[in-house]
Amino acid sequence: MRTERWARWITLIIFILLVFAPLFTSGVGLLVDWLWFRQEGFDVIYTTILKTQVGLSAWCGLGFVVVAALNLLVARRISHHAGYHLYTQIVEFPALERFNAIFRSVIWIAVVLVGYFAGEWATTHWLDYLLFSHPVRMAEADPLFGLNLSFYMFRLPFVWFLYHYAWAILVACLLSAAFLYFVEGGVWITPRGASMARGARAHLMVLAGLGFLLFAWRARLGMYNLLYSSRGLIFGASYTDIHAAWPVLWILLAICVLTAGTFFVGARTKSLRPAIISIAGLIVIAILGGAVYPAIVQQYVVTPNELAKEEPYIAQAIHFTRQAYALNRFDARAFPAIQDLSLQSVRDNSATIRNIRLWDHQPLLSTFQQLQEIRTYYDFARVYNDRYQVDGDDRQVSLSVRELASSSLPDPNWVNQHLIYTHGYGICMGPVNESTSDGLPVLFIENIPPASTIPLKITCPQIYFGQLSNNYCIVRTRAKEFDYPSGEDNIYTVYAGSGGIPIHGFWRRVLFALRFQQVNILLSGYIQPSSRIIIYRRILDRVGRLTPFLAFDSHPYPVISQDGAIYWMLDGYTTSNQYPYSDPTSGVGNYIRNSVKVTIDAYSGQVRFYIADPTDPLIQAYARIFPGVFHPLSEMPADLRAHIRYPQDFFSIQASKYAVFHMTDPRVFYSKEDLWRVASQTNAGAMMPMTPYYTIMKLPEVGQAEEFVLMIPFTPARKNNMIAWMAARCDAPNYGKVLVFTFPKEKLVYGPQQIESRIDQNPTISQQLTLWDQGGSKVVRGTLLVIPVQNAVLYIEPLYLAAQAGAALPQLKRVIVAYSDHVVMQPTLGDALDEIFGGSVEAGLPAGAAAAQIPGQPAAQVRQALASVKSLIQQANDHFQRAQQDLRRGDWSGYGQELNALGQILRQLQAK
């Protein structure tokens, strides 16, 4: 009796721990998240997911326990009738009666524990269940079974979960019943081995029969998995899968059902022989049919006639992969590449030339960090490209957000990190193609507070949400909240936005103290009832927490609205790995759509989701599951909608797939005779694929005016000449349209790597680069840009000069332009174009970008004279600066020498 009492107490304690322990672990986090979701206006997401998880956990956990318990009750009833027998000459269990209660308790505790974990496991399949219960019919069926594709995208994943869940229950029933029979009777050990009571044998044979029915179900589900086979040349069902693996699966299904039947019959007849024979046959068929036979078919039927056998399946893989990645929407066109540019045609495309990016992201980021961080606790995380209207013209600009790096505070104590230094401040913006006389970037918006030289103004420069801000902060406290530095003084502010969770009173302070494991939240006298705690400040974490069923682009970018507020824009993706026949992409799946555009207010943190592709079945399902979360794109404010753009990650994935799947003829695809790859270029001495880049240009044939596009060039897989280029349109009304321009195969068009080689082989350029790349300085070669202009192609590469050691401040020193057989390097883009086209292209270019023209003088002589004058002016400035340094040091001899040298140069300038 005492043993049974202890067993009951142990069972009760374990039950209490299982029920109440989560309340003290994840329960605090769940409650804080509930407050946050409700504050942000997305409580429908939180409650829907939570209800689904609780429902799955309850049904699956309780279902597991109920089925296992009924199975144990049956086993116990049978064991009481059978009793147990021990032959002590072989096995002895001293005082076994005393431990019966403990053994029974162990079994029940194990059932409850496994049931609990089964429920926890089921909660991870909440999204599978929601999609299963909200399917959206798609426009096409699979070619093998004739099922609508929605079955695979929405229903099949949860069906697989049910299959594995059924196996978990069955295995638990088998093990627990066998253990109970061994302990309480029904299974005993004799000198000749184990023996079973008739009832126990029948019970276990019924369970084994159910197991073989599950094997039959597995064979049926395995047939659907043929659509994701990687056995053949392509992803999806191949000839061998259809003609060998599929028939074998039907045979295995039939034998599994037959084996289950032999177990059910054997439960009544006590005969195991038919079941054993069936199992043996099943094993032989599984080995021969699952591995040997398909290998024979592949080797002796398919391989000698591979193209003929696989052609229809290659066609299906091409068709479905192009659909899964939206490649079927691309518009392919011919690009003549006749290199017929003239001086006038360059002038006619001045808007394209004016917006060629000369400032690469990394050199510009280094410059921003050196010149515009202002204080050590500010940081620029990345540089972004966008377009804005400046003086009535579309200008491509580079911009970066000045964010707070709390880890870099001079005194990173708790009050400073979470109450005083709470936000970044302002933004830097400049044109992508202009530099000062010192080679530094021209800035439209700079400094603290932000000063603007263009009509666009920053009225709300505080950055509470960004790429770096990840720590929580508490605002509206009694502590002064630092706003920005002003000379020797600091300017303070009080947060006036709607972001953050109201703290209110004592119990919420306790809750947040537990959540962040920080007692200061509870004890600090700075915090008051009106204070608010702002959490999830890093924007990718923020949107990922709100919509865990979406994937997001890794390139969020800032936008300045017309009223001067700063927003973050981000692209969201719906993905799946269940699209039949579609070639998968690592980390993504085999289906992707850019269906969502997201805006995040950098001040308040307010998030809004907009549907960018309403034809996507997954976003249709999510809109039904979470009503009110997703809005039509037309509801996005017009000033923000003007800055949506084709996302880089999506474009890169499509480009890599299109390089292969532009071959729609199965025969061409099989021979890989037209296989492409994304063009490569040299970066820090290593060859690597080019990154897609944004530019403003007029697209050939289809473009009526310059527009913002994202583009990338292609080369043949094993050659370096350029074969095509792809551009995605970013401006309304053509947003989302992707065009591919292919070059004539019989014509050589230089690829980026070949242009790099030509630059390296140019003696004048090579000599100058070698001269600069010494004496404590280094030459930084920028990204080689391929810029189509009308029917020709220009290649532009900027060069920067930076110090090898210390805080490098890259300066834009030269621009290399290649066109046709010309490769030139000049101080400005305008100078380089002038040299190539034999005249001034200054119309439409920024000041200083083109060389001046003197009437009656040849352009080459004018450029040579101007270059000489610029060199003398630079020398004069150098001598003057050194003379000033000698004067401050009191070096009168050196001062006199520098003045004499300066005088000589001034006389040369006077003569010129």
Side-chain angles (χ1 to χ4, degrees):
M1 294 297 294
R2 183 178 301 175
T3 303
E4 293 184 2
R5 192 179 305 116
W6 277 107
R8 293 193 189 100
W9 275 107
I10 292 173
T11 306
L12 180 61
I13 291 171
I14 291 176
F15 178 78
I16 292 173
L17 288 175
L18 291 177
V19 173
F20 293 101
L23 298 179
F24 297 99
T25 54
S26 60
V28 171
L30 287 172
L31 187 52
V32 171
D33 279 352
W34 158 245
L35 294 174
W36 179 67
F37 270 87
R38 189 175 62 176
Q39 177 66 28
E40 297 300 324
F42 294 101
D43 49 305
V44 64
I45 297 178
Y46 185 90
T47 55
T48 300
I49 294 176
L50 184 62
K51 288 177 181 178
T52 305
Q53 289 178 328
V54 171
L56 284 173
S57 179
W59 281 106
C60 293
L62 290 176
F64 184 97
V65 172
V66 168
V67 173
L70 291 174
N71 174 72
L72 283 175
L73 291 175
V74 171
R76 191 174 184 189
R77 183 181 181 87
I78 293 172
S79 66
H80 284 177
H81 285 292
Y84 59 85
H85 302 274
L86 291 177
Y87 291 79
T88 55
Q89 295 177 353
I90 306 300
V91 179
E92 295 183 0
F93 290 99
L96 185 61
E97 292 284 355
R98 185 186 309 171
F99 295 101
N100 273 352
I102 293 179
F103 286 142
R104 284 196 299 270
S105 298
V106 167
I107 295 173
W108 285 105
I109 290 171
V111 167
V112 173
L113 279 174
V114 176
Y116 170 78
F117 288 115
E120 288 293 296
W121 168 54
T123 62
T124 63
H125 292 269
W126 62 268
L127 184 56
D128 292 339
Y129 172 76
L130 287 174
L131 291 177
F132 177 86
S133 56
H134 296 81
V136 174
R137 186 169 179 81
M138 300 173 69
E140 195 164 357
D142 80 271
L144 187 57
F145 300 103
L147 297 174
N148 189 270
L149 295 187
S150 64
F151 169 77
Y152 303 95
M153 295 278 283
F154 293 91
R155 294 192 179 274
L156 188 57
F158 192 70
V159 172
W160 272 109
F161 161 73
L162 293 177
Y163 164 76
H164 291 113
Y165 174 70
W167 258 118
I169 294 178
L170 186 61
V171 170
C173 288
L174 273 168
L175 294 177
S176 60
F179 186 66
L180 189 141
Y181 285 135
F182 185 76
V183 171
E184 294 206 354
V187 176
W188 53 85
I189 299 173
T190 72
R192 292 176 297 179
S195 179
M196 281 188 233
R198 178 176 180 178
R201 181 193 300 269
H203 183 198
L204 294 177
M205 290 187 70
V206 167
L207 293 177
L210 292 175
F212 280 96
L213 287 181
L214 287 180
F215 278 129
W217 190 17
R218 172 64 178 83
R220 185 69 181 101
L221 293 178
M223 298 178 193
Y224 299 130
N225 267 11
L226 293 176
L227 301 182
Y228 311 101
S229 171
S230 57
R231 186 198 304 270
L233 291 170
I234 41 77
F235 190 81
S238 63
Y239 179 93
T240 302
D241 293 314
I242 301 300
H243 295 86
W246 193 14
V248 169
L249 286 173
W250 277 115
I251 294 172
L252 289 174
L253 187 151
I255 295 177
C256 286
V257 173
L258 177 63
T259 304
T262 61
F263 272 100
F264 295 147
V265 172
R268 294 182 59 86
T269 64
K270 299 191 296 180
S271 175
L272 275 174
R273 186 179 181 84
I276 293 173
I277 294 174
S278 295
I279 293 174
L282 181 63
I283 293 173
V284 170
I285 295 297
I287 294 174
L288 295 179
V292 178
Y293 177 58
I296 292 174
V297 171
Q298 183 69 33
Q299 182 67 33
Y300 298 104
V301 177
V302 175
T303 301
N305 310 281
E306 195 167 40
L307 177 58
K309 298 296 184 183
E310 299 286 13
E311 185 173 352
Y313 309 109
I314 294 174
Q316 290 169 357
I318 294 172
H319 172 73
F320 282 94
T321 299
R322 288 173 62 87
Q323 283 193 326
Y325 293 94
L327 307 183
N328 59 324
R329 304 178 183 180
F330 288 10
D331 183 6
R333 295 171 176 265
F335 189 84
I338 54 179
Q339 303 296 80
D340 60 346
L341 283 182
S342 64
L343 178 63
Q344 187 57 47
S345 60
V346 174
R347 289 173 175 171
D348 292 342
N349 289 272
S350 61
T352 297
I353 305 299
R354 182 193 304 123
N355 286 286
I356 293 175
R357 190 189 79 201
L358 300 181
W359 279 104
D360 272 9
H361 291 173
Q362 191 55 50
L364 187 58
L365 180 62
S366 298
T367 303
F368 281 166
Q369 290 171 341
Q370 292 297 317
L371 300 180
Q372 284 293 311
E373 282 186 355
I374 311 297
R375 293 290 189 271
T376 59
Y377 42 80
Y378 289 129
D379 194 9
F380 292 98
R382 297 180 65 173
V383 172
Y384 314 88
N385 285 116
D386 204 352
R387 71 284 199 198
Y388 285 83
Q389 283 272 321
V390 178
D391 297 329
D393 295 325
D394 283 332
R395 295 294 302 273
Q396 186 181 186
V397 299
S398 297
L399 61 164
S400 189
V401 176
R402 188 183 291 105
E403 297 190 53
L404 178 72
S406 57
S407 60
S408 299
L409 289 171
D411 184 14
N413 58 58
W414 183 81
V415 173
N416 278 339
Q417 283 191 321
H418 300 284
L419 273 63
I420 296 179
Y421 292 90
T422 58
H423 57 273
Y425 200 89
I427 204 167
C428 285
M429 174 193 288
V432 296
N433 64 329
E434 294 187 33
S435 61
T436 66
S437 59
D438 294 329
L440 299 177
V442 171
L443 295 179
F444 290 154
I445 301 175
E446 60 181 324
N447 298 334
I448 298 177
S452 177
T453 61
I454 58 176
L456 188 65
K457 308 296 180 184
I458 305 292
T459 59
C460 184
Q462 291 85 2
I463 309 294
Y464 284 87
F465 301 86
Q467 298 237 53
L468 297 180
S469 302
N470 200 19
N471 289 331
Y472 67 90
C473 69
I474 303 175
V475 296
R476 298 185 192 173
T477 66
R478 295 185 178 92
K480 291 183 177 180
E481 190 180 344
F482 173 80
D483 200 23
Y484 63 90
S486 179
E488 298 297 326
D489 300 321
N490 290 332
I491 306 301
Y492 295 90
T493 187
V494 176
Y495 182 72
S498 59
I501 307 170
I503 290 181
H504 293 322
F506 173 77
W507 289 111
R508 283 204 178 180
R509 292 179 70 166
V510 172
L511 179 66
F512 294 128
L514 290 173
R515 168 63 176 81
F516 296 105
Q517 299 180 2
Q518 179 53 258
V519 71
N520 287 331
I521 297 177
L522 181 62
L523 301 179
S524 176
Y526 292 117
I527 300 175
Q528 51 192 352
S530 60
S531 299
R532 306 172 78 90
I533 184 168
I534 300 177
I535 61 177
Y536 302 128
R537 299 173 62 199
R538 186 171 178 268
I539 52 178
L540 286 173
D541 293 341
R542 190 173 185 82
V543 296
R545 195 79 179 182
L546 287 172
T547 51
F549 45 88
L550 297 178
F552 292 96
D553 196 88
S554 59
H555 302 85
Y557 57 99
V559 172
I560 304 172
S561 66
Q562 287 183 347
D563 61 0
I566 300 173
Y567 289 82
W568 292 96
M569 295 194 72
L570 181 61
D571 288 276
Y573 305 124
T574 54
T575 61
S576 174
N577 59 1
Q578 294 294 315
Y579 202 90
Y581 284 99
S582 175
D583 188 59
T585 298
S586 177
V588 175
N590 63 359
Y591 174 91
I592 184 171
R593 287 289 186 275
N594 173 217
S595 297
V596 179
K597 301 290 183 181
V598 189
T599 62
I600 306 102
D601 190 321
Y603 185 72
S604 69
Q606 183 185 57
V607 182
R608 289 292 178 267
F609 297 92
Y610 300 92
I611 297 178
D613 185 358
T615 64
D616 172 34
L618 285 176
I619 199 61
Q620 294 176 24
Y622 293 146
R624 295 178 187 176
I625 295 168
F626 308 106
V629 171
F630 299 98
H631 307 277
L633 190 60
S634 58
E635 293 184 9
M636 181 186 290
D639 55 340
L640 299 183
R641 195 164 66 248
H643 291 276
I644 64 173
R645 65 190 194 186
Y646 208 86
Q648 286 179 274
D649 289 351
F650 186 42
F651 187 77
S652 296
I653 292 170
Q654 289 182 310
S656 66
K657 291 301 177 187
Y658 193 83
V660 179
F661 289 92
H662 71 278
M663 299 179 287
T664 55
D665 185 335
R667 293 180 173 270
V668 176
F669 188 96
Y670 175 79
S671 63
K672 298 292 190 294
E673 64 182 63
D674 195 23
L675 184 64
W676 299 352
R677 61 179 170 87
V678 172
S680 299
Q681 74 169 93
T682 304
N683 189 341
M687 294 302 302
M688 55 192 310
M690 293 183 67
T691 302
Y693 52 90
Y694 294 97
T695 189
I696 291 179
M697 61 177 292
K698 183 188 295 183
L699 289 170
E701 299 184 23
V702 297
Q704 302 299 317
E706 282 74 14
E707 57 186 296
F708 197 56
V709 300
L710 178 63
M711 65 168 294
I712 194 73
F714 292 99
T715 64
R718 295 177 179 84
K719 294 184 179 180
N720 293 323
N721 60 289
M722 197 154 58
I723 192 67
W725 58 280
M726 187 166 82
R729 308 175 81 172
C730 299
D731 294 338
N734 297 306
Y735 171 80
K737 296 180 180 178
V738 180
L739 298 100
V740 180
F741 294 90
T742 57
F743 296 111
K745 294 183 179 180
E746 67 277 4
K747 181 177 292 188
L748 172 64
V749 179
Y750 291 119
Q753 193 173 348
Q754 293 173 321
I755 295 296
E756 293 275 15
S757 298
R758 292 182 61 194
I759 293 173
D760 293 337
Q761 295 165 6
N762 185 290
T764 303
I765 297 176
S766 179
Q767 182 180 8
Q768 184 64 64
L769 296 184
T770 303
L771 181 63
W772 279 337
D773 213 0
Q774 58 186 346
S777 62
K778 63 177 180 179
V779 174
V780 179
R781 294 176 65 163
T783 301
L784 179 69
L785 300 181
V786 178
I787 306 295
V789 179
Q790 292 186 357
N791 294 322
V793 178
L794 288 174
Y795 306 86
I796 316 292
E797 181 175 276
L799 296 179
Y800 313 94
L801 197 62
Q804 284 186 341
L809 186 64
Q811 296 173 289
L812 179 61
K813 283 299 183 183
R814 292 292 186 270
V815 179
I816 299 174
V817 177
Y819 169 72
S820 187
D821 294 327
H822 304 278
V823 178
V824 301
M825 181 176 72
Q826 290 294 336
T828 68
L829 175 61
D831 290 341
L833 293 173
D834 287 354
E835 182 173 340
I836 291 175
F837 294 104
S840 173
V841 296
E842 63 181 344
L845 294 184
Q853 182 70 39
I854 301 176
Q857 295 291 332
Q861 293 183 12
V862 172
R863 287 192 296 271
Q864 184 177 1
L866 287 175
S868 177
V869 169
K870 290 179 181 178
S871 176
L872 289 172
I873 292 174
Q874 182 63 47
Q875 294 178 42
N877 182 66
D878 292 342
H879 285 296
F880 176 75
Q881 295 295 333
R882 286 196 289 269
Q884 294 298 311
Q885 294 174 5
D886 291 338
L887 179 62
R888 287 191 291 269
R889 290 196 301 265
D891 183 0
W892 298 105
S893 175
Y895 178 71
Q897 293 176 5
E898 294 295 341
L899 284 182
N900 289 335
L902 177 60
Q904 293 178 6
I905 293 175
L906 291 176
R907 284 190 290 274
Q908 294 180 41
L909 281 170
Q910 185 178 11
K912 287 184 176 293

